[in-house]
């Protein structure tokens, strides 16, 4: 799930479907209750510790901890690769993103329906919102203030648990993908440097603050929106997926503009490599879809 959510267009929620844990994941997240923390006040007593353990097991916290550890590990590793790709071959990387997002929209198209006014409205709002936001995002300089990053974290985590939409897609749409993949890479490097004596504590703390704010935003978003997502998918599944697919189609404006802006000259070789990168991205999604064809979102 972490690897999938590190690249725009591939959904960690889809991976959860493949492995058969999606319903358990959403139920576990929706079942988290902060009031369980009151047992910490009696953790020095045997009864208090037993009560805390029972509550954590009832909320399926061990499952979330193990899963979350895997997600975080993959995010750290894959985001480094994507950050290097953006710095070394930005146009080709965005062509790859275009293929990922476009193919994901095609794969999910069978779930789209505009048979009612509400679904038409969902499609129009989704496409229009993404088209406008992605147009503003392309080539723009965005604020990385802590309040902005907090909201970004909340939106990102919500997308991560939706089938068909990745957290990286939302970061890309909000203009924070470049910045946050770079911050995560620098933070990990700084931690290693701190151990070896090649980094200052002040630099690590600055990066840690950014990572922590995004993480807290993600936690708040997770606790706030998991129930909403479960309700939307169970009550208005078709309308919700219609909105999501339309969002992805509208967002294709961003990688197209990035490819055009970062390609100095067009030649047969450049065109071939761009189409190849897009084809690889689309192919990855279509191959993945072969394993999810019998699954119902």
């Amino acid at each position: 799930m972490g690897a999938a959510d590190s690249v725009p267009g591939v959904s960690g929620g889809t991976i959860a479907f493949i492995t058969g844990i999606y319903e358990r994941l959403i139920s576990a997240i929706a079942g988290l209750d902060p009031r369980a923390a009151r047992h910490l006040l009696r953790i020095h007593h045997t009864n208090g510790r037993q009560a805390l353990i029972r509550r954590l097991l009832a909320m399926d916290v061990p499952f979330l901890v193990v899963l979350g550890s895997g997600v975080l590990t993959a995010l750290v590793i894959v985001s480094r690769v994507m950050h290097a790709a953006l710095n070394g071959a930005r146009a080709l990387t965005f062509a790859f993103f275009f293929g990922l997002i476009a193919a994901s929209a095609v794969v999910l198209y069978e779930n789209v329906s505009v048979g009612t006014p509400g679904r038409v409205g969902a499609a129009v709002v989704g496409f229009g919102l993404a088209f406008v936001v992605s147009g503003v995002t392309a080539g723009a300089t965005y604020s990385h203030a802590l309040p902005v990053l907090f909201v970004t974290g909340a939106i990102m985590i919500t997308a991560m648990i939706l089938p068909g939409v990745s957290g990286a897609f939302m970061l890309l749409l909000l203009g924070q993908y470049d910045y946050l993949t770079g911050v995560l890479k620098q933070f990990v490097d700084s931690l290693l440097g701190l151990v070896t004596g090649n980094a200052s504590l002040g630099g690590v703390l600055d990066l840690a603050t950014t990572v922590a704010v995004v993480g807290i935003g993600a936690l708040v978003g997770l606790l706030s929106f998991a129930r909403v997502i479960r309700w939307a998918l169970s009550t208005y599944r078709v309308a919700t997926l219609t909105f999501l697919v339309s969002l992805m189609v509208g967002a294709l404006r961003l990688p197209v503009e990035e490819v055009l802006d970062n390609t100095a000259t067009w030649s047969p070789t450049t065109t071939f490599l761009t189409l190849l990168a897009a084809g690889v991205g689309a192919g990855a999604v279509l191959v993945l879809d072969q394993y999810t064809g019998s699954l119902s979102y």
Side-chain angles (χ1 to χ4, degrees):
M1 287 180 64
D5 272 309
S6 298
V7 292
V10 184
S11 168
T14 298
I15 302 301
F17 266 116
I18 295 173
T19 55
I21 64 169
Y22 187 77
E23 289 186 10
R24 182 180 180 185
L25 172 62
I26 296 299
S27 296
I29 295 172
L32 289 175
D33 186 357
R35 291 176 297 179
R38 69 179 185 274
H39 294 297
L40 292 172
L41 298 175
R42 299 189 300 117
I43 198 171
H44 55 287
H45 295 301
T46 301
N47 290 340
R49 289 193 296 272
Q50 291 176 345
L52 177 62
I53 291 172
R54 286 194 300 270
R55 195 72 188 93
L56 293 178
L57 290 175
M59 293 188 297
D60 216 1
V61 169
F63 162 75
L64 291 176
V65 170
V66 173
L67 182 66
S69 298
V71 169
L72 288 174
T73 300
L75 281 173
V76 169
I77 296 172
V78 178
S79 64
R80 294 175 70 89
V81 176
M82 299 315 301
H83 182 70
L86 284 170
N87 287 331
R90 188 174 184 86
L92 292 180
T93 302
F94 270 97
F96 174 71
F97 289 168
F98 178 91
L100 287 172
I101 297 169
S104 295
V106 170
V107 165
L108 290 174
Y109 182 75
E110 64 184 28
N111 298 283
V112 173
S113 172
V114 289
T116 67
R119 293 172 187 173
V120 172
V124 171
V125 171
F127 179 87
L129 178 64
F131 189 83
V132 171
V133 172
S134 59
V136 174
T137 300
T141 301
Y142 265 69
S143 170
H144 305 305
L146 294 183
V148 174
L149 295 178
F150 176 86
V151 174
T152 298
I155 296 174
M156 172 194 70
I157 200 67
T158 304
M160 287 180 70
I161 58 176
L162 282 170
V165 182
S166 71
F169 168 77
M170 285 300 183
L171 291 182
L172 195 69
L173 188 60
L174 295 172
Q176 301 292 345
Y177 186 79
D178 254 351
Y179 175 72
L180 288 180
T181 53
V183 166
L184 188 57
K185 177 183 179 299
Q186 293 173 38
F187 178 59
V188 174
D189 290 344
S190 296
L191 286 178
L192 295 175
L194 195 62
V195 174
T196 58
N198 295 320
S200 66
L201 182 59
V204 174
L205 290 178
D206 287 341
L207 293 168
T209 300
T210 299
V211 173
V213 168
V214 174
I216 294 171
L219 182 60
V220 171
L222 199 62
L223 295 176
S224 303
F225 294 114
R227 292 178 176 85
V228 176
I229 292 169
R230 184 170 62 175
W231 171 80
L233 288 175
S234 62
T235 309
Y236 300 105
R237 183 179 65 180
V238 176
T240 301
L241 289 172
T242 298
F243 172 80
L244 293 175
V245 174
S246 300
L247 193 75
M248 297 169 76
V249 174
L252 287 173
R253 176 181 178 179
L254 173 59
V256 168
E257 292 194 10
E258 287 285 356
V259 169
L260 294 176
D261 291 344
N262 291 281
T263 302
T265 57
W266 287 98
S267 66
T269 301
T270 304
T271 303
F272 171 76
L273 291 176
T274 301
L275 293 175
L276 178 63
V280 170
V285 174
L286 295 176
V287 168
L288 180 63
D289 183 55
Q290 294 300 310
Y291 296 93
T292 61
S294 62
L295 297 175
S296 176
Y297 291 119

